[in-house]
Amino acid sequence: MDRPRHADDAGRAALKPHTIRMHDRDNVAIVANDGGLPPGTVLPGGLSLRDRVPQGHKVALVDIAAGTPVLRYGIPIGRAIQAIAAGSWVHERLLQMPAARGLEGLPIATGQAAPQPRLDGHTFEGYRNADGSVGTRNILAISTTVQCVAGVLDFALQRIRAELLPKFPNVDDVVGLEHGYGCGVAIDAPGAEIPIRTLRNISLNPNFGGEVMVVSLGCEKLQPERLMPPGSFAITPAEPAQALNVVRLQDDAHVGFMSMVDSILRQAEHHLERLDARRRETVPASELVVGVQCGGSDAFSGVTANPAVGFCTDLLVRAGASVMFSETTEVRDGIDQLTSRAATPEVAQRLIDEMAWYDAYLQRGKVDRSANTTPGNKQGGLSNIVEKAMGSIVKSGSAPISNVLSPGEKLGAKGLTYAATPASDFICGTLQLAAGMNLHVFTTGRGTPYGLAAVPVIKVATRSDLARRWHDLMDVNAGTIADGSATVEDVGWELFRLMLDVASGRKKTWAEHWKLHNALVLFNPAPVT
């Protein structure tokens, strides 16, 4: 990677032409300067720009003939549809995207990195649960079976926060697990198991302390007993068969709106009393369950934030923790990298199966993986999904992939896991919650105020300009890597230490500070009736 020569001169270096080339084979580089560079700018190697090149966008380093591969990250991100002269702006309209890599003949468990030494001695203060899991927050979650009850529950939540939470200072919050599922759906169709198990497993997230409370309408298809079957949860080992606590709004006992609300408050108070008795205790960093994700990506995502997260991912795995990476369409073009890193042939086959399932899902909708990229991605310099995928996949670091989850499944393994999800920010976050994450890391280049009510979300900016403008929304500035004032390793360690502080409750993320919470969005591939 080309950088300013003097790391302590990053301010003056920003005024000089600054490009970043990711691999020796690359015939393009991206412009790092804020605001881009005008035509006529002479780059450090003597090349003169023929066009204005926006920040994050690619410039041809050599003449590229029509039909020739354009290389970034050392791989073809497309073929030139016309001759591109050295010094020209290389954008998506000049590239023909490569076909997706086939799922046959892939390298299987052949490219694992050498084992790294275990990282011991790191701890955080967490809430130990009866099932052995650990929460980073102490939250009462109230599940719902259908969207119909959302308004009533929201009214009740406002009263709980105003009237009950002050009585229970050790409880961080109360949240409603509101969603758009539950009725008007083909609930027995193939694929319907995904949203149902997602909702069930979210209810059992470690940050909720094993307390399960459900608000139901009464007539919906997703009945409470189907959402939470007998034996699917327990408050303590001594109470393995606790009855499900359900408030049904259609019950005859409810006469008037306030009767429903008062019933929710009465039941919530019992759960709050138990949660309030819990205390943080010192636990090893191996109890972290971290979901990593990106959104509002740009060309810097694969240069700064995602490599730093990848370095931190390796630290977490070395510490014995669990890390999930996801976003099927954003790793699909690197499937050969993933199958080669699989810990076993069986894990490699699971990866292939998940990709094949999603290929078929997209085909049913008559789209392909190229539907993933957004206008903002392209404005940020990403030409297509291949380029985006190469920058996204580096969040997973270099550790062997030891486990694969299907959508909505609960994680039961340490190490690095591929949790198959759509790339949609909200759906991915929802599915990682269901898998059991207790801490979330989210990288962004274009900027997003994304947050989740159930877990702390640490947001990492890819560019210093974004971190400056959104200073009270971004938690980590990885743009210092591009500026030359920090290394990938520096930011990776900064993120690791911040994770332990946030998990312990010693620090709050900006999303927590402002209470910025996105809605849960379920992945439902089954028909809506």
Side-chain angles (χ1 to χ4, degrees), residues 181-224:
Y181 194 70
C183 211
V185 294
I187 201 165
D188 294 315
E193 73 279 1
I194 292 176
I196 296 172
R197 72 186 177 207
T198 299
L199 287 171
R200 178 182 306 131
N201 287 332
I202 288 176
S203 300
L204 303 175
N205 185 277
N207 284 1
F208 302 151
E211 300 289 333
V212 179
M213 176 179 167
V214 179
V215 175
S216 159
L217 182 60
C219 61
E220 62 273 20
K221 289 184 178 180
L222 183 58
Q223 288 290 299

Side-chain angles (χ1 to χ4, degrees), residues 194-442:
I194 292 176
I196 296 172
R197 72 186 177 207
T198 299
L199 287 171
R200 178 182 306 131
N201 287 332
I202 288 176
S203 300
L204 303 175
N205 185 277
N207 284 1
F208 302 151
E211 300 289 333
V212 179
M213 176 179 167
V214 179
V215 175
S216 159
L217 182 60
C219 61
E220 62 273 20
K221 289 184 178 180
L222 183 58
Q223 288 290 299
E225 295 75 16
R226 182 160 182 178
L227 173 63
M228 303 297 298
S232 63
F233 69 100
I235 295 298
T236 70
E239 300 177 279
Q242 181 179 347
L244 184 62
N245 183 358
V246 181
V247 175
R248 286 184 178 85
L249 302 189
Q250 290 177 345
D251 281 357
D252 292 343
H254 293 134
V255 179
F257 172 63
M258 281 303 169
S259 172
M260 302 173 188
V261 173
D262 290 342
S263 181
I264 293 171
L265 265 67
R266 282 195 303 272
Q267 297 304 319
E269 189 159 14
H270 299 307
H271 296 282
L272 289 168
E273 288 173 352
R274 285 193 288 262
L275 287 171
D276 194 59
R278 307 172 79 222
R279 296 293 184 273
R280 290 185 182 271
E281 61 183 82
T282 302
V283 296
S286 58
E287 299 298 347
L288 286 174
V289 183
V290 179
V292 299
Q293 186 187 354
C294 53
S297 300
D298 66 0
F300 287 94
S301 295
V303 178
T304 61
N306 289 348
V309 170
F311 181 84
C312 186
T313 291
D314 287 345
L315 294 178
L316 290 164
V317 172
R318 288 172 56 195
S322 304
V323 185
M324 293 177 285
F325 72 106
S326 300
E327 302 168 282
T328 298
T329 51
E330 293 191 17
V331 301
R332 174 65 175 81
D333 281 278
I335 182 60
D336 53 338
Q337 300 176 37
L338 302 185
T339 55
S340 66
R341 283 172 57 196
T344 66
E346 291 75 21
V347 171
Q349 188 57 53
R350 284 289 313 279
L351 285 163
I352 293 168
D353 291 345
E354 290 297 340
M355 299 299 153
W357 186 94
Y358 212 83
D359 284 353
Y361 170 73
L362 291 176
Q363 287 168 7
R364 289 198 301 273
K366 301 188 185 303
V367 298
D368 63 18
R369 71 203 199 285
S370 67
N372 172 284
T373 44
T374 69
N377 295 153
K378 294 176 181 178
Q379 290 170 14
L382 295 173
S383 294
N384 56 39
I385 186 57
V386 181
E387 184 178 9
K388 186 179 180 182
M390 293 305 107
S392 174
I393 204 170
V394 295
K395 296 193 303 297
S396 66
S398 62
I401 301 168
S402 58
N403 190 39
V404 176
L405 291 181
S406 295
E409 288 184 337
K410 190 173 180 65
L411 182 63
K414 299 288 188 180
L416 181 63
T417 292
Y418 176 67
T421 77
S424 161
D425 298 347
F426 326 109
I427 298 177
C428 177
T430 299
L431 288 169
Q432 289 186 343
L433 275 178
M437 75 170 171
N438 54 22
L439 191 63
H440 200 27
V441 176
F442 191 102

Side-chain angles (χ1 to χ4, degrees), residues 110-139:
T110 57
Q112 297 177 23
Q116 298 187 46
R118 186 168 175 86
L119 188 63
D120 293 318
H122 295 277
T123 63
F124 69 98
E125 304 301 308
Y127 293 96
R128 179 74 69 177
N129 296 316
D131 64 359
S133 65
V134 173
T136 61
R137 295 294 183 266
N138 191 29
I139 296 171

